[in-house]
Each structure stands twice: as structure tokens, then as C-alpha cells.
Amino acid sequence: MAVNLNDKSKMTVVEGSYATAHAVKVSRPHVISAYPITPQTHIVQDLSQFMANGEIPGCEYINVESEFSAISALIGASATGARTYSATTSQGLFLMHEALLNTSGMRLPIVMTVVNRAAGAPINIWNDQQDSIAQRDTGWIQLYAEDTQEAADMVLQAFKIAEDKDVFLPVMVCMDGFVLSHVYEPVVLMDQKEADEFLPPFKPDVCLDPKKPVSYGTLGDPSVYTEFRFLQERAMQNALPLIEKAADDFKKITGRYYGGLIEGYELDDADVVIVTFGSIIGTIKDVVDEYRANGEKIGILKVRAFRPFPMEAIANGLKNAKAIVVVEKDISIGRNEGALFTEIKAGFYNTPMRTPIVGYMVGHGGRDIRPMHIKKIVEATKEVAKTGKIVVESQFNDVKEELL
Amino acid sequence: MSNNQPFNLLTPGHNGCAGCCDSLAAKYVLMAVGPDCIVVNPTGCLEVMTTPFPKTAWNVPWIHSLFENGGAVASGIEAALKALGRKGNTKVLGIGGDGSTMDIGIGALSGTFERNDDITYICIDNEAYMNTGVQRSSGTPRGASTSTSPAGTVSFGNNTNKKDMPAIMVAHGSPYVATTSIGYANDMIKKVKKAADITGSTYIHSHAPCPTGWGFDSSKTIEIAKLAVDCCLWPLYEIENGEVTSVKKIRNPKPVEEYLKAQSRFKHLFKMEGGDKEIEAIQKSADKNIAKYGLDK
């Protein structure tokens, strides 16, 4: 996190969920709808308290009977011209699945925080990123936050990206469950003036309005359906520079910057590059610092945007690497790889890039990832860099043989 | 829009079948409410036949999202109108079939009615999943043969009673629940208008015979609808704040046989051994309605 010195006086220690709820508040939403689920609950509780205190004027909060109805209510509200927000996780996100596709298909710029949590069964409330990764083809923009400040600031950036007329797509702001949602850290709670300066009011050209009737969600037969998908894909591509612009504009106003599509840490001259997203970067940075202190060129490429997939930015960031290791908290079962690993490899295939690349699946269901695990991964990848040979392409980091 | 605006809010030229109950019901609803409304239309025949992109038959703002979320989408629209200061006199209407209302969408609709959001929901009940080819729903009456409850050598067709959906909506504390029939247009228009003018979640359950699914000539939609009411299988009433406040009297109820005979979905009851017992049971359910609502008094 790049904090400018002036910010320190403004910093206050709050829970990650509170920081996000505060960011939602200063985004001036019109309609919020959500359903409680661990570990997302603190966000919606904080928002409920803001409502009870009259701190979000002109906002309606709908308490619903399921996540499916939460996203559905926002579909109606967003189509009516409202700025809308929800938060969920894991099982709640899975319950929303059908409506997620519907949201992006109708081009509704809803913003939703996904507090990343593992998928059942076995039921597990702890953090990994299987939930949002499993929604990668729903047509939502997906952004991943490294720390609580970024998760909060990303909400405002998300609205700005989503509501751009060249985009008009929904955005998931993904933050790791517990690790970020329940941690107390010093953050800057954005003041309303700064938020207003960054985020203009939402004024769509078209919405549900009796004065100017339009039909939303009509039947698209084979003669027209393809074009809907084509336009969604084009909007995703349009979002690539706008995600960077939102980060730049945000920096101009607040001094805070976390990268655009990607962000490097000790990246430019690194021989071994760890590619990852989310809160695990904090741990990895400590490990990288140790290596750097010993003169070893280890670096990090942090992926902020997973959809749209910023392959060009990633390839550019990896161009000097001698070996690449992708570390992620998900798995595509049946492929024995994490999704980020698969996609980066696929992105390199038709290019001259031949740097060896390996993948590690870590931290499933909230299993702790410690510096020693990262070091083990780095040591193995250093060997790949040295020999140019891959022994195991993709693997679980930490499997307890005695439990199998 | 032309001067005939109330009649053109759902324009002709859509893809509905001849004698379609949905288009009649939707037209009555819009005649009752007028142009200042927003319609939520869960998946079903009505949605499919009226909006083949880039065409639409709707001259009011309209949204179709999914099959099972009509109630929640309506709640969101109402909340947005309030938040944006655009509520005015604009009515938010849900118009769904029996499948989206009574089966797959009942959860979301229950949420809307529990919160008493200011919307009016109209169920156009043609007693089966017509859009997918006449499969049974919880609105399908006993004895009806559908593609998933077919009559056969050991089956009289659907073997469950019709779910009492209006009673469920009353149990939510709805200020206004009424049953209507597309056979009685004036009654339906009057009740829809009343429902829309009442603040809170109000519910209209309209019986709507489907010539394609029920098996009768497309010229007889209204006739069949009236028969259901006149034989007391579909009583017309209003329930305000939990109390029955009006009932359409049927002085000389017709036997249910007259209604059943007119539709091929019940024809097996007149041919199969033991079919008479099934018809007797159906007559009993009509008699129960007569007693419950005092229809013949």
C-alpha cells in the first residue's frame, strides 16, 4: 500500500469490513440488498448500522430472504437507474450464480464485495478463492484486493469502472475472508468530499421509467444472441484501460495507489517471479524482502484484475523472469491446476515466451500459509530457473499424507 | 402512443396463441393500472411471446430477469423509485404464471410480501408449465392430465390438489388478496385497480384457461373461464387485511362435469373405470368452496 505521509494523520484502526462498509457509504448508493453469511456479515451489519443512524441519506436497504433475492432485488433497482451494492461469499455467491449471468447480460453496473471463502462440501467458512474463481465466466469484472485499505478503495474504483458508458458491467471486489474482513488495521476512511470528487453521480441514459418505456431482458433468439455476447466481451476489453485509469484518478485525489491491472514488487530485475493475488501477497512480500537482503532477485507480480484478464500487462511484467511460479488459493478439479496458472500458460502459448512456469495450489479452506511454505516454493522455483527443467508442473503445496 | 392508450399498453401482433389467456390477463391488468407502471415479468409464455428481440409488445417499462425472482426484482424497483425520488404514483407490478409464482418463485415472493413492499403481484394461473409443454405445477388441479402427470392405465392424471396460493399470501399479512378470472373482465379490472391503489404488497390470483394446454377450441377461452367460476371450482373473492370482504355469488352452481367435459385434459375421467369417483372427488372440492365462501347463499 502506498500511503502518502499526509495520510498518516487521517489513519484510524478499524476492521476490514468496516473500512469496506464506509467506502460503500461514501459511494452514495441508492439501494443495498444483502443476506447474512460468514465471513461477509460484518460488512452488512455495519451498513445496517449506518442506515439505522441515518448516515446514508437517500438509500434504501432491503433485507431479503436469500442471496438469490439480494442480487435479484439489485437487478430491479439497477435497471431502474439506482447505484446498487451487495456483499456475499461462497455459498451465497453460488446461490446467486444464475442471477450473476443475468446481471452482466442485462449490462447492469452492480458492485458487490465478495469476501472470499472456501466452497462446501465439506462445509468450511475459512478463506480461499474458489468462490469467486468459480464465477469467472459470469461476465463480471473481478478485482482482487491485497489489504483492507485496497479492498475499501476498490469499491469506489469499482463503481467508477462499472458505470463507465463504455463498460456497463457489474464488478466483484474480492477480499479474503477473515484475513482481510476481520482484521483490524490502520486505514484512511475516505471523506465524502474526496469520494464525491472521484465518483460522479450515476446517471444512466436508459432505465425503467414510465415516461420513456423500454423492455429489459427480452428473448434473444439465435439470430441476435451472439451479438449480445460479442458486446459484453468488447465491454470487458474496454474496461482494461479504464481499470488503470480509475486507479490513476484515485491516486491523484487520495495519494493511494495499488497498481492498475497488475502491480509489481521487486519485479523488474527478478529472476524468480511469484504471480498471485489477494492477501497472501503480504506474507510473500516479507519473504521477498529476506531474499533481497541476501542479494537474491525474487519478485512479485500481483494480479489486481482477473476479469478482464490482463494478459498483455502480465506478459510485460514477466518478460525478464527466468522462472515463474503461480501461487493461488483455488483449483480447477480435474485439471489439477489453479485457474490463474492455466490462464497465464494459455496466454503465453502463441507467443515467443518460453520461460518455465509452475503452479502451486495453496491455502485451501483457510489453511495457513507461512513464510516457510513460500520459501519452499521459491527454493523449488529457483531450481527451475537454474536448470530450465520442470519436474512437477502443478501441485498442492501442503497435503497431509496421513489423512489420505 | 395513440389515443387508445389503455388498450395499446400491450400491443397486438405478439406471438401468443389464438385464444391466449396470458395476453387477455395482461391486457386487463394494464387497462386497470394505466401507463404509469413498471412491469416485472418472470420467465414464461407471456415473456417469451411478447418480447422477441428487437421487438416488444410492451408500451410500459418492462423487465424480465429470471424464472424465480419476480418478487425480489419488483422489490428492488420499488426501492429504487423511492431512493431516486421518482416514486410518485408509479405502480410496480409483477405479472407471472403459476409456475413462477406458486413453485419456483414462491421464496422470493414470500420475501416481498413479508416486507410488505409496495407492489402488486398478479398470478396468471393456467394450471401448468405451458411454455415448456404442459408439465404439472402446484397450480394443476386434481385429475388433470399433463405431460408430467399423464393419465395412464394406473393413473388418473395429477393426483394432488391445487395449492391454495391466495391463502398463503393472506398469511403473509397482505392488505389485499383477491381471486379473479379472465372470464370476468370487469371484476378483474376493478380488483387489479384496487390492489394497485392500496399501499403494500397486494396479490391478485387470476384463473386463466389455456386452449393449448387444456385442450379446448381457441374460441372458448372466456367460456371455459366462466364455467370454472360457475361450477364453483374457482371462487371469486376479496380478502382485505385477512377478512373476506366480498364473494361473487353463484346462485345455481353448475355441476363440475360440465366444466371437465369441455377440456381434453380431463377426458380420461369419463372413459376410465373409476373415473366417476375422481369426478366425485372434484365435485366435493367445489362443494367445499361453496360452503367455505357461502357462494350459493
Side-chain angles (χ1 to χ4, degrees), chain B:
Chain B
M1 276 182 269
S2 76
N3 292 333
N4 286 328
Q5 192 188 58
F7 302 99
N8 282 343
L9 294 176
L10 184 74
T11 61
H14 54 69
N15 295 336
C17 304
C20 172
C21 55
D22 280 1
S23 61
L24 283 172
K27 191 160 277 211
Y28 297 160
V29 169
L30 294 178
M31 284 166 75
V33 178
D36 194 3
C37 67
I38 297 174
V39 172
V40 179
N41 184 182
T43 311
C45 282
L46 183 64
E47 160 259 329
V48 170
M49 76 199 202
T50 55
T51 66
F53 185 89
K55 293 183 280 187
T56 179
W58 298 85
N59 267 325
V60 293
W62 176 95
I63 183 168
H64 158 254
S65 172
L66 299 168
F67 203 178
E68 68 277 41
N69 66 359
V73 174
S75 290
I77 293 170
E78 198 254 345
L81 290 175
K82 273 199 280 191
L84 295 163
R86 281 174 29 205
K87 182 93 190 271
N89 200 37
T90 301
K91 309 295 185 193
V92 180
L93 307 175
I95 308 178
D98 46 297
S100 64
T101 306
M102 301 165 72
D103 284 348
I104 198 167
I106 194 170
L109 193 59
S110 174
T112 300
F113 274 65
E114 170 264 319
R115 291 185 300 270
N116 201 26
D117 294 335
D118 188 17
I119 67 115
T120 296
Y121 192 94
I122 300 103
C123 174
I124 306 176
D125 180 6
N126 56 22
E127 303 193 325
Y129 291 92
M130 299 314 180
N131 192 38
T132 44
V134 202
Q135 294 85 20
R136 81 165 291 278
S137 75
S138 61
T140 304
R142 179 169 175 166
S145 180
T146 74
S147 60
T148 53
S149 65
T153 50
V154 297
S155 169
F156 292 112
N158 188 51
N159 63 359
T160 55
N161 292 316
K162 190 176 175 69
K163 186 191 275 181
D164 190 354
M165 187 68 186
I168 293 170
M169 304 325 276
V170 170
H172 281 78
S174 169
Y176 185 81
V177 172
T179 55
T180 63
S181 163
I182 60 164
Y184 290 92
N186 288 337
D187 178 72
M188 181 166 171
I189 291 167
K190 194 181 79 189
K191 286 172 176 170
V192 171
K193 187 166 169 34
K194 190 168 170 180
D197 285 341
I198 291 171
T199 304
S201 296
T202 55
Y203 182 75
I204 300 286
H205 197 114
S206 189
H207 197 240
C210 164
T212 312
W214 295 12
F216 59 80
D217 189 84
S218 60
S219 66
K220 300 211 182 299
T221 304
I222 301 296
E223 198 176 302
I224 300 286
K226 280 179 186 286
L227 261 176
V229 174
D230 295 348
C231 74
C232 299
L233 278 172
W234 188 250
L236 300 181
Y237 54 79
E238 291 173 291
I239 298 178
E240 294 176 61
N241 299 308
E243 302 293 329
V244 178
T245 53
S246 87
V247 170
K248 179 179 168 54
K249 300 291 180 184
I250 309 294
R251 299 294 171 202
N252 299 299
K254 292 180 173 167
V256 296
E257 267 189 64
E258 212 174 302
Y259 172 67
L260 302 177
K261 260 192 307 202
Q263 308 165 49
S264 54
R265 65 177 174 157
F266 294 114
K267 69 176 184 224
H268 56 285
L269 299 180
F270 297 92
K271 291 177 189 160
M272 289 171 69
E273 197 181 322
D276 52 339
K277 291 245 162 36
E278 286 297 307
I279 294 170
E280 246 173 64
I282 295 168
Q283 182 62 57
K284 270 189 191 144
S285 69
D287 295 345
K288 215 167 124 186
N289 286 335
I290 293 169
K292 185 176 178 185
Y293 295 102
L295 297 178
D296 60 345
K297 292 213 177 81

Side-chain angles (χ1 to χ4, degrees), chain A residues 270-313:
Chain A
D271 295 330
V272 169
V273 178
I274 304 161
V275 184
T276 190
F277 41 30
S279 64
I280 193 179
I281 290 167
T283 306
I284 300 177
K285 277 180 177 170
D286 286 348
V287 174
V288 167
D289 289 347
E290 270 187 54
Y291 276 109
R292 286 280 170 177
N294 292 330
E296 294 195 65
K297 292 178 179 171
I298 312 296
I300 303 171
L301 188 147
K302 158 179 158 178
V303 176
R304 279 186 95 231
F306 184 61
R307 282 291 179 275
F309 195 67
M311 194 56 217
E312 199 182 323

Side-chain angles (χ1 to χ4, degrees), chain A residues 110-159:
Chain A
I110 295 169
V111 169
M112 178 162 71
T113 296
V114 175
V115 183
N116 287 116
R117 167 185 148 179
I123 187 166
N124 175 302
I125 59 165
W126 295 272
N127 163 244
D128 67 28
Q129 291 156 338
Q130 194 69 46
D131 52 357
S132 53
I133 290 296
Q135 308 304 322
R136 65 176 163 168
D137 294 333
T138 55
W140 283 58
I141 289 171
Q142 287 195 358
L143 307 176
Y144 287 79
E146 176 185 341
D147 59 29
T148 61
Q149 182 79 64
E150 185 177 14
D153 291 346
M154 226 177 219
V155 169
L156 286 115
Q157 296 183 18
F159 277 118

Side-chain angles (χ1 to χ4, degrees), chain A residues 202-233:
Chain A
F202 177 45
K203 286 188 180 144
D205 292 337
V206 179
C207 68
L208 293 169
D209 182 357
K211 291 192 192 80
K212 203 176 155 195
V214 292
S215 292
Y216 270 82
T218 60
L219 173 78
D221 72 16
S223 70
V224 300
Y225 185 89
T226 302
E227 288 67 25
F228 279 84
R229 290 292 167 267
F230 179 88
L231 290 170
Q232 273 176 277
E233 180 55 40

